[in-house]
Every structure is written in structure tokens, then in C-alpha cells.
Amino acid sequence: MDSTLGLRERKKAETRQSVHEAAVRLVEEYGFDAVTVEAIADAANISRRTFSNYFAGKEDAVLWGEEHRFHTLVAEVRAQPPTVSGWQALRTAVHDLCERVGGPGEWASRTRLAKRHPALLARQLANHAALERELAQAISEHPSPIRPRVMAAACLSALRVAANVWVEEQQARPLVEVCDEIFEEMGRSFG
């Protein structure tokens, strides 16, 4: 039974990833406004109804990779030893996440898309507000819960600035290096 459930969950994850990749690819090629949910579903080889089982709209499909990474980031902050400060927990989790991202790929594409399409940017900002609350809660679990919401907001601002600098520099250096530089600068206030 568990292996069947595991297979089902793997298939769902593969479908979600496929739809996400199709959405990003189509929006990059044709622009956000020109792409329909039906086109994304066709490109992912699923029905419109199946699309709706996974995503509420095309914004969700395009930004799913970011949301997935955000959940990973919150989990990594919570996994930090309770002896570290909230800022250090954030910094370590972001560093590890950026190292895993590696090359330009989707992160750079998503940053460029959000800059060009106000609907995506608006959705991204709404996602960031939700993440900010989750990060603030995760930070407050550490022994120094001073200003957890400010630290969470600063962390997200640092990530946004890092992604924009990285894209503007045409990914000339690893994202983790840009993140580390910005977090070092901000750490002078929160360290």
C-alpha cells in the first residue's frame, strides 16, 4: 500500500513539475498575457480540468518553483540549531538554498518574468507576504526572537535584490556569491 501511495505522490509531483515547466517556457516565449491556461495544459499534455487540480491559475503555475523553494527555506530555518540567532538561521538557510540552485536556470527566468509582467509581480509579492509571516514564525522559535518580522522582511528583500543583481550581471557569478555579499551587508544590522 505504501509503495502505491508513494508512486501516486511521485506521479503528482512529476505532473506538477511538468505543468510548471510548460508554463514558464510558454510565458518566456510568448509573454504572460498571450498564454492561456489551455495552452499550458496542452503543452503539459494534460486536460484543463487536471490543470485546475494542481493550480488555481497561470500565475500559480509559473511561480510554483519559487513557492516550493520557499517551503524548503522555511523548513531549513526551522531545522537550524536553536542556539543560533534568527538572522544567522536565515542566512545559513538562504546560503544553502542558493548553493543548491547552482546555475542561472529557472530562478533567473522567474526574476526576468516578474520584472516584465505586473500580474506575476503582484502574485509574487503576495507570495512573499505569506512567506514573510512563515519565516517570522520560524525565527521566533530561536532563542533571540528580537524583531522576527523585520528580519524576515529583510531576508526577502535581500533575496529579491540578490536575484535582480544576479540577472542584471547576466549571471556572471554564482547566485550564492551575490546572496552572501548582500547578507553580509545586511548582517551588520542584524548579526
Side-chain angles (χ1 to χ4, degrees), residues 86-87 90 135-136 139-140 144-154 186-191:
W87 185 251
L90 283 169
L135 283 174
I139 295 166
S140 69
S144 299
I146 301 168
R147 305 171 299 197
R149 291 186 74 181
V150 172
M151 286 190 281
M186 292 183 82
R188 292 185 181 108
S189 298
F190 293 114

Side-chain angles (χ1 to χ4, degrees), residues 111-166:
T111 299
R112 283 190 296 270
L113 289 172
K115 287 173 92 172
R116 282 188 298 218
H117 303 289
L120 281 176
L121 182 59
R123 179 52 190 235
Q124 189 178 52
L125 291 174
N127 290 346
H128 286 193
L131 174 62
E132 184 179 310
R133 286 189 298 275
E134 289 183 49
L135 283 174
Q137 183 182 26
I139 295 166
S140 69
E141 295 169 6
H142 287 266
S144 299
I146 301 168
R147 305 171 299 197
R149 291 186 74 181
V150 172
M151 286 190 281
C155 173
L156 293 178
S157 292
L159 278 172
R160 182 179 44 75
V161 170
N164 284 317
V165 166
W166 188 53

Side-chain angles (χ1 to χ4, degrees), residues 63-85:
L63 295 175
W64 177 78
E66 178 177 82
E67 291 176 30
H68 181 68
R69 264 193 287 287
F70 285 169
H71 293 297
T72 302
L73 179 62
V74 171
E76 288 188 14
V77 169
R78 286 195 167 114
Q80 296 298 311
T83 55
V84 302
S85 70

